[in-house]
């Protein structure tokens, strides 16, 4: 079974939601049969690469709230994150464009290190002091820490076209699926879960999707085995006998 997660590194509920989902997944009896794929979604796609600003300032401008209201929201998010065992800096974080991070995540997917990189990016953005925005070398360091080749990651960042189409394809697909916010979880293309739901909701969704995950049914000549015709396999090809 495949679970696809549309998310953005700048999204605090994606950070919390990932932890809640993984809590449910770790307890799921069929955990080894579940493939998790992270998909791209930008909360602020129009922001230029070098345009960063404090999170509190961004919130007051975007939502028309006071600084006190914005800070209270951050404090609440910090408490929600702590309840999931996550570190979260409620003061002095910044906000910026995440497109390059999404490009790196597609690069990481090709090398089987996508989950390691997205977790490193989340932690760096929400829990560490050094910014992840507008600093390619910071992203290279995080990629290397996630098990990727630093020079290859640097080349990806230096080429603005690298994996750009993959990011845009993910975003178009999110729109087609009706996802207008993140995190957005899609289970086997049958069920969707929107938002950082409690672990119990994810557990229920996994159980329901798995219960309807039918194995492939083979059509054969009537024997019922589905494997009565000649075919080639790892051990070679069946040779008709005279």
């Amino acid at each position: 079974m495949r679970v696809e997660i549309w998310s953005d590194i700048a999204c605090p509920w994606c950070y919390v939601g990932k932890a809640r989902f993984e809590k449910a997944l770790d307890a799921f009896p069929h955990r080894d049969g579940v493939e998790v794929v992270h998909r791209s979604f930008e909360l602020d796609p129009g922001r230029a690469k070098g345009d960063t600003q404090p999170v509190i300032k961004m919130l007051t401008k975007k939502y028309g709230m006071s600084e006190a209201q914005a800070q209270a929201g951050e404090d609440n998010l910090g408490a929600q994150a702590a309840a999931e065992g996550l570190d979260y800096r409620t003061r002095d974080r910044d906000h910026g464009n995440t497109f390059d991070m999404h490009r790196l995540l597609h690069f990481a997917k090709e090398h089987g290190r996508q989950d390691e990189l997205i977790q490193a990016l989340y932690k760096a953005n929400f829990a560490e002091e050094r910014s992840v925005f507008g600093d390619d070398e910071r992203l290279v360091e995080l990629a290397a820490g996630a098990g990727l080749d630093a020079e290859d990651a640097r080349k990806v960042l230096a080429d603005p076209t690298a994996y750009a189409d993959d990011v845009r394809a993910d975003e178009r697909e999110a729109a087609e699926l009706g996802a207008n916010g993140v995190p957005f979880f899609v289970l086997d293309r049958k069920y969707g879960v929107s938002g950082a739901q409690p672990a119990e909701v994810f557990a229920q969704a996994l159980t329901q999707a798995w219960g309807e995950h039918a194995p492939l049914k083979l059509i054969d000549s009537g024997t019922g085995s589905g494997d009565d015709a000649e075919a080639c396999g790892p051990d070679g090809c069946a040779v008709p006998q005279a």
Side-chain angles (χ1 to χ4, degrees):
M1 183 171 74
R2 170 180 283 197
V3 178
E4 297 162 278
I5 308 174
W6 272 264
S7 59
D8 191 11
I9 302 303
C11 165
W13 287 118
C14 296
Y15 181 45
V16 173
K18 182 177 186 292
R20 292 176 178 173
F21 169 75
E22 288 176 346
K23 183 181 294 184
L25 185 60
D26 287 343
F28 187 55
H30 307 288
R31 168 66 184 91
D32 291 343
V34 179
E35 176 193 12
V36 178
V37 179
H38 297 282
R39 301 291 192 190
S40 301
F41 190 106
E42 293 174 276
L43 291 174
D44 202 354
R47 184 178 291 271
K49 178 175 179 176
D51 181 12
T52 62
Q53 66 181 145
V55 165
I56 297 300
K57 183 177 180 180
M58 179 274 293
L59 292 172
T60 59
K61 182 178 180 181
K62 187 172 183 177
Y63 299 107
M65 58 178 65
S66 67
E67 286 193 8
Q69 288 173 320
Q71 189 58 65
E74 281 293 285
D75 291 340
N76 175 59
L77 276 163
Q80 298 268 2
E84 304 302 331
L86 301 172
D87 293 328
Y88 189 100
R89 294 176 65 236
T90 60
R91 301 290 190 279
D92 302 322
R93 287 195 307 106
D94 61 356
H95 175 79
N97 179 279
T98 57
F99 187 64
D100 282 349
M101 298 181 216
H102 286 295
R103 294 197 299 114
L104 272 182
L105 284 166
H106 278 280
F107 162 67
K109 180 174 180 287
E110 284 191 352
H111 295 274
R113 309 297 294 178
Q114 191 184 43
D115 191 72
E116 289 82 358
L117 180 58
I118 198 169
Q119 192 59 36
L121 290 169
Y122 277 141
K123 182 180 179 182
N125 183 42
F126 292 107
E128 298 176 1
E129 185 174 350
R130 186 178 169 189
S131 176
V132 296
F133 299 106
D135 183 353
D136 284 359
E137 282 307 305
R138 172 65 163 148
L139 297 183
V140 169
E141 290 175 14
L142 292 170
L148 295 162
D149 182 83
E151 189 55 37
D152 287 345
R154 190 175 286 111
K155 289 177 181 178
V156 170
L157 292 170
D159 178 4
T161 67
Y163 301 97
D165 289 345
D166 299 282
V167 176
R168 297 307 183 209
D170 276 0
E171 293 174 336
R172 286 194 301 271
E173 196 163 12
E176 291 167 2
L177 290 169
N180 51 19
V182 285
F184 189 71
F185 302 77
V186 176
L187 293 80
D188 250 7
R189 291 298 171 109
K190 289 184 177 180
Y191 295 99
V193 178
S194 181
Q197 300 285 351
E200 294 77 13
V201 174
F202 289 120
Q204 179 183 354
L206 286 166
T207 299
Q208 187 168 348
W210 185 270
E212 297 183 17
H213 181 73
L216 189 69
K217 293 183 178 179
L218 298 176
I219 297 175
D220 55 36
S221 60
T223 65
S225 66
D227 59 0
D228 57 332
E230 292 78 6
C232 294
D235 298 323
C237 298
V239 180
Q241 300 299 312

